[in-house]
Structures are given as C-alpha cells and as structure tokens.
Amino acid sequence: MRGLDESTDVFLRTGQKAQEQVRHAWAGFINFAARDNVLEVALANAFTKVVTSFVSDLVLPIVSLLPFLNRNMDEKFAVLSKGPNFDQQNGYNTLYQAREDGALVLAYGLFIETVLNFMGVSLTLYAVGHLYMLIFHDKIIKRTVRCPYCKQYIGESALRCRHCSTWQDGREDLPRSGKSSRQELADGEPSFVGEAIPDDGGIL
C-alpha cells in the first residue's frame, strides 16, 4: 500500500535523524571529556589527593613517633590565650578542644603538615614529569627565564616575549633608524621586480 510505504519511509528517516543526533551529541561529549585540560585537571586533583593522603596518613604518623613529638603533627599547637575551661595541670588535649573553649592558639603543627603536603605533591609531580619525559621524549618541563624588558617569565628558548613582544636576541638594544619596522622589514627583503636576471648560460 502506498500510504503504508510513505509512513515507513518517514519513520525510517526520523529514526536515522535521531541516530545522527545522538551520535553527534556523543562525539561532542567525547571531544569535551578527552581534551587535555579536562584530563589534566581531573588527574591532578586525584593525584593531589593520593599524595596528600600518603603524607598525612602514612608519613606523618611515623614522624609523630619521635620522642619529642609524642602526638600527631596536626595536634601540635601553642596556647596564646587561655579559655575559661583551661586545665592548669594538663592544658588542652586537642586543637579542637582548645578552639571550642575559645582559646587563642598557634597551630604550628597544622601549618607544618600543610607545608609537607605541598612539598610532597610538588616533588612527586616533578619526579613524574621527568619520568614521563624520559619515557616519551616529550619535553613537558620547560625552563623559564625573565624577559629583560618586562621582567615576566618566558620560555628559555623563546625568540620573542609573549607579554611585551620584544625580541630576545638583542636586536631591541641596537640603535633605531628613522624608518618604521615595516619599512625596515621591506628594505631587508630582496626585490626582483623590474630587475634583469643575468644570463650566465646556466640551466634554470
């Protein structure tokens, strides 16, 4: 039947369009999720949590076993101003207890732990970066220097500064002529328009 065939064609075309839209949406999602910056952010966050947990949960408890510490690093603090429930004999047992009592404390242990976490994450990332360069020969750790003109950090092998656009090969210090940069560039390029090509008998 003619009407049934037309309905079937419409149904098939609609299904194909729906499949194409779904396929296009899925391809867009994969393109977004697989971009370098998204993966780098996700991996960096996960890696930071792993290293922070390694330092806080494994390294620092072992360090806290030293005789002159006797407690976890994050529980080392100094009382600057006592609270109303301060125990003259034993003081505060934990940092949380001191803060709940309204005491003014210097939480130097927590600060040291944060610094150690930062150093652990930084050194581990640096080591992983060098290992990656050793395996894949891709230079991801690039040395930087200060631009002598704007004092911003740029790549060591950069020809021009990305901040102030100055050349890094010393040409900026040469005496300037009265010509503009475009005229100097044009004068420096050879022009063959209207010039006779010498005939030396050679074959072009």
Side-chain angles (χ1 to χ4, degrees):
M1 298 177 62
R2 184 175 180 181
L4 183 60
D5 293 339
E6 291 179 354
S7 300
T8 304
D9 292 339
V10 172
F11 179 77
L12 292 176
R13 285 197 298 268
T14 304
Q16 290 177 355
K17 290 182 179 179
Q19 289 180 357
E20 291 177 358
Q21 291 178 355
V22 172
R23 193 179 299 112
H24 180 72
W26 177 255
F29 171 75
I30 294 298
N31 185 32
F32 168 78
R35 285 188 307 179
D36 291 341
N37 54 350
V38 175
L39 292 178
E40 287 176 0
V41 170
L43 291 176
N45 290 335
F47 191 78
T48 301
K49 291 180 180 179
V50 171
V51 177
T52 301
S53 177
F54 173 76
V55 174
S56 301
D57 302 331
L58 295 181
V59 176
L60 290 181
I62 296 176
V63 174
S64 301
L65 294 177
L66 296 176
F68 57 89
L69 290 178
N70 295 327
R71 64 173 61 191
N72 291 334
M73 184 65 68
D74 58 348
E75 293 297 338
K76 299 290 292 183
F77 60 93
V79 179
L80 303 180
S81 178
K82 304 174 183 178
N85 299 320
F86 179 76
D87 189 349
Q88 297 294 336
Q89 184 176 0
N90 299 320
Y92 296 111
N93 188 33
T94 62
L95 179 62
Y96 176 78
Q97 182 183 5
R99 288 177 172 174
E100 283 294 313
D101 193 34
L104 180 62
V105 296
L106 184 66
Y108 62 90
L110 194 60
F111 174 75
I112 293 175
E113 181 178 350
T114 304
V115 172
L116 291 177
N117 285 331
F118 170 76
M119 294 298 297
V121 172
S122 302
L123 293 176
T124 306
L125 288 176
Y126 186 72
V128 170
H130 272 282
L131 181 61
Y132 178 86
M133 290 192 301
L134 183 64
I135 296 176
F136 297 100
H137 305 286
D138 185 11
K139 191 174 182 181
I140 60 175
I141 300 178
K142 301 178 181 179
R143 297 184 180 274
T144 58
V145 294
R146 281 184 180 271
C147 172
Y149 304 100
C150 67
K151 305 304 180 183
Q152 298 292 330
Y153 283 102
I154 58 175
E156 187 179 29
S157 59
L159 298 178
R160 298 185 70 175
C161 177
R162 64 177 181 175
H163 302 283
C164 62
S165 301
T166 53
W167 292 93
Q168 302 297 305
D169 56 0
R171 72 180 70 181
E172 301 288 347
D173 298 328
L174 297 177
R176 293 278 184 175
S177 62
K179 300 180 180 180
S180 64
S181 59
R182 289 187 177 181
Q183 291 175 341
E184 291 177 354
L185 182 61
D187 293 342
E189 295 179 351
S191 176
F192 300 101
V193 179
E195 295 181 2
I197 300 176
D199 186 8
D200 55 358
I203 300 176
L204 296 178

